[in-house]
Amino acid sequence: MAGGGKLSARQKMINLMYLVFIAMMAMNMSKEVLSAFGLMEAKFSDANVVTTDMNEKLLANLETKAEEKPAEFALAANKAKEISIASESFYKYIETLKNDLLSKGKYQIDPETGKLPFEAMDKTDILDEAWFTGDRLTKKGQEVMSKIEDYKSTIKGIIGDDVKYSKAVENFEKRFSTEQEKNKDGKKIDWLDYHFKGFPAIASYTKLTAMQNDVKVTEANMFNVFLGNTLDEAVSLKNYTAIVIADKSAFFAGEQFQGKVVLGKYANVTPTGLSVGGSAVDLENAIDSTGAARLDFNVGSVGEHEIDGKFTFLEDGKPLDIPIKGNYVVVPRPNSATISADKMNVVYRGVVNPMTISFAGVPDNKVSASGAGLKKGSGMGKYTMVPTSGREVTINVTATLDDGSKVSDKAVFRIKDIPKPSGQIAGQIGTAKLPRNNVEIGRIEAVLEDFDFDLPLTVTGFKMKVEGKPSVTCSGNRLNGAAKSALRSAKRGSQVQIFDIKSRSNGPAIKPASPLIIELTN
């Protein structure tokens, strides 16, 4: 428009013309929009009349069927009557809201056209003052929301958990959703605020009529479901999916796949009960957003296991049990790597060699192993081997798979003799420095160094040689009188040899131990 300073008469006239022009455009646009809302309201009103008539016929049809086939339709007819009563009550409540809007706005139907003055119904403060106070709802606004929620809970309570009506209930929930809405700035606004605050009276009036239409549509949909008129949609093959069901959930490489392909549907329907293996499952935590039930249990030992349970749904007012059958295969958890050194498969002759033998993915009771000197021990996969003759032993392993077929494998082990022990005195091996008295009273031992088996050795005899003296033969593991006499004659710093140390075990024969060289420290 104009900047600061004094305006000329001509400029003032131009500015005034601009204002009048803009106001006229706004008035014309407003009238067009208001008229459009009015036309929409009229269409909803006509639709409500038609739907009401249709619903009355559907309800009468249901009542007739209930008399003819009470087992099939009596329960549905009763539900339909209850829905009709609840819907009529809510419909009339919405009508009171519409009447209040007309009364407070002082709007009246034109006696000549039979229509409301759409273009004059531009007030925005009627419902704003009645339903809202600042950012909160008035008592009347709270009442409106309460009535909507009461209607929703009443309809869902009448329908119940019957699986056949789940889709109808889902559509009903969407139709009467009162979730918050996002405005043009992306901010979430309460449902009543978003749909009615700040709107012209004719817009709010039309929305209330549309809500009445939703009530009539709800009745029509429910009655049709009760009559089975949605059956074609339910059984159409377009709604089915090919589902592969394997005979078991794990197969071995090279094994023949066995299973079947069926047509089925994934139903997002909450069951009333679920049990697996005789134990009830908590539905609140088990059912996900797709309607699938998630199972969580200990899989048990290695091998094939069955899943046995049931789904329970409510259909036609009665519990409907759907069995759950399946199986799965448990294979050993990989908790260690298999690491082997070439040519290091060794067992020792004459001792008990512990062994663990298993077949990946096969339970212990279906695995058998054989070999010279091999015996089954206690514990899963535990064996012992005591090889005797020869230089090698072969262990053969056979496993029986779930389909009855057998697989085999083998491993060859070298047989080695017990290694030569070492002589020991006072915990010292090979060479030692000891006082003369410690040698005299000490005990001669034979030990198997770096040998992983527990094989105690008992010294049965040895020979002792002092410098300048003949050797002395001793029995057992201590010095005899002759050996002690020879030891006393030895000089300080001289060496005493303990050799030809003989020992025995509780099993195999033992080679003579390596000698001891003892330096006397006194």
Side-chain angles (χ1 to χ4, degrees):
M1 303 288 270
K6 187 175 181 180
L7 299 177
S8 65
R10 181 175 178 277
Q11 186 63 52
K12 287 181 181 179
M13 180 61 69
I14 292 173
N15 289 353
L16 180 60
M17 289 175 64
Y18 270 119
L19 288 174
V20 171
F21 178 69
I22 293 172
M24 288 177 66
M25 287 182 63
M27 287 178 65
N28 289 335
M29 180 63 70
S30 176
K31 287 182 179 182
E32 290 177 1
V33 171
L34 296 176
S35 293
F37 272 113
L39 293 174
M40 288 174 60
E41 197 281 332
K43 288 185 178 295
F44 278 124
S45 294
D46 292 342
N48 289 345
V49 173
V50 173
T51 310
T52 299
D53 181 62
M54 181 184 68
N55 290 347
E56 289 175 356
K57 292 176 181 178
L58 288 173
L59 183 58
N61 193 6
L62 264 172
E63 291 174 344
T64 301
K65 286 184 176 292
E67 293 176 0
E68 296 172 350
K69 299 178 181 179
E72 295 181 33
F73 291 98
L75 182 62
N78 287 334
K79 288 181 180 291
K81 291 176 185 176
E82 292 178 21
I83 288 175
S84 177
I85 293 171
S87 296
E88 182 64 19
S89 175
F90 185 53
Y91 188 96
K92 288 180 177 178
Y93 175 75
I94 299 173
E95 193 65 28
T96 65
L97 299 179
K98 292 167 64 177
N99 292 336
D100 287 345
L101 180 60
L102 296 178
S103 175
K104 291 177 180 177
K106 298 180 180 179
Y107 303 122
Q108 293 182 348
I109 296 176
D110 188 328
E112 294 183 5
T113 63
K115 296 180 180 180
L116 287 168
F118 303 142
E119 296 181 0
M121 297 176 67
D122 57 352
K123 294 180 181 179
T124 61
D125 59 348
I126 299 175
L127 293 188
D128 287 2
E129 294 177 359
W131 292 1
F132 306 99
T133 172
D135 293 332
R136 293 175 299 172
L137 297 179
T138 62
K139 287 185 178 180
K140 188 63 178 180
Q142 292 173 3
E143 176 190 289
V144 172
M145 290 302 300
S146 177
K147 290 290 185 178
I148 296 173
E149 295 302 327
D150 286 348
Y151 177 63
K152 289 168 61 178
S153 62
T154 299
I155 297 300
K156 288 190 291 183
I158 294 169
I159 297 300
D161 297 324
D162 199 315
V163 63
K164 291 195 302 185
Y165 309 137
S166 58
K167 188 64 179 178
V169 172
E170 181 182 338
N171 292 334
F172 171 73
E173 284 275 19
K174 291 179 181 178
R175 195 177 300 120
F176 283 95
S177 173
T178 54
E179 296 292 327
Q180 287 185 321
E181 304 272 7
K182 286 185 178 180
N183 63 10
K184 61 182 179 181
D185 299 324
K187 181 181 177 182
K188 284 191 173 183
I189 305 296
D190 287 340
W191 183 86
L192 198 66
D193 190 310
Y194 182 85
H195 285 278
F196 290 95
K197 192 173 184 179
F199 282 90
I202 184 58
S204 297
Y205 191 88
T206 301
K207 288 184 179 183
L208 290 173
T209 305
M211 189 182 295
Q212 287 179 316
N213 182 253
D214 286 337
V215 174
K216 293 300 178 181
V217 170
T218 295
E219 281 186 295
N221 285 354
M222 294 298 181
F223 294 171
N224 274 295
V225 170
F226 293 152
L227 284 166
N229 292 342
T230 58
L231 184 61
D232 290 340
E233 178 185 353
V235 300
S236 172
L237 291 180
K238 292 184 294 183
N239 298 315
Y240 282 74
T241 301
I243 303 171
V244 178
I245 303 175
D247 285 354
K248 58 182 181 180
S249 59
F251 292 90
F252 295 107
E255 190 177 359
Q256 193 77 11
F257 177 87
Q258 293 181 326
K260 53 191 174 184
V261 180
V262 299
L263 286 178
K265 293 200 303 182
Y266 291 95
N268 189 3
V269 181
T270 303
T272 57
L274 171 61
S275 65
V276 177
S279 300
V281 177
D282 181 9
L283 291 177
E284 185 175 350
N285 297 320
I287 306 298
D288 64 16
S289 59
T290 67
R294 302 194 61 82
L295 302 181
D296 184 4
F297 58 86
N298 192 305
V299 297
S301 59
V302 172
E304 187 172 355
H305 300 267
E306 289 187 353
I307 299 175
D308 184 20
K310 65 178 180 179
F311 265 126
T312 301
F313 295 91
L314 187 66
E315 184 168 298
D316 293 329
K318 299 177 183 178
L320 172 65
D321 291 338
I322 298 178
I324 300 172
K325 293 289 183 182
N327 62 3
Y328 61 95
V329 177
V330 179
V331 297
R333 182 188 294 274
N335 56 9
S336 61
T338 301
I339 304 172
S340 61
D342 293 344
K343 299 184 180 180
M344 290 300 290
N345 283 352
V346 173
V347 290
Y348 289 95
R349 193 187 317 278
V351 297
V352 178
N353 295 263
M355 309 189 84
T356 299
I357 300 173
S358 63
F359 228 105
V362 181
D364 185 55
N365 62 351
K366 292 186 178 182
V367 176
S368 61
S370 61
L374 184 69
K375 291 183 179 180
K376 185 78 169 75
S378 60
M380 189 171 295
K382 299 300 181 183
Y383 291 79
T384 59
M385 168 170 277
V386 184
T388 53
S389 60
R391 307 307 302 173
E392 289 183 344
V393 61
T394 300
I395 297 177
N396 296 290
V397 185
T398 301
T400 303
L401 304 182
D402 295 330
D403 60 1
S405 62
K406 296 182 183 295
V407 289
S408 301
D409 199 2
K410 66 180 181 179
V412 178
F413 289 79
R414 290 180 296 135
I415 301 175
K416 295 183 69 173
D417 292 328
I418 302 299
K420 184 177 182 177
S422 300
Q424 176 178 275
I425 183 172
Q428 300 184 54
I429 296 174
T431 60
K433 291 183 178 182
L434 292 171
R436 190 186 310 271
N437 186 58
N438 286 24
V439 178
E440 185 175 332
I441 64 174
R443 184 172 61 187
I444 307 301
E445 297 176 298
V447 294
L448 295 167
E449 294 185 89
D450 299 325
F451 191 61
D452 294 331
F453 296 87
D454 184 15
L455 186 65
L457 303 180
T458 302
V459 173
T460 59
F462 60 91
K463 291 179 181 179
M464 188 187 83
K465 178 74 170 70
V466 176
E467 292 180 11
K469 300 287 182 179
S471 62
V472 178
T473 300
C474 300
S475 298
N477 59 2
R478 296 181 186 275
L479 274 60
N480 58 19
K484 291 178 181 179
S485 177
L487 180 65
R488 293 188 189 107
S489 67
K491 296 179 181 180
R492 177 183 179 182
S494 63
Q495 292 184 340
V496 177
Q497 296 183 37
I498 307 292
F499 61 97
D500 196 16
I501 304 170
K502 298 178 180 179
S503 61
R504 59 179 170 80
S505 71
N506 57 5
I510 304 298
K511 298 174 183 179
S514 301
L516 277 164
I517 306 297
I518 305 170
E519 181 183 338
L520 298 176
T521 60
N522 63 359

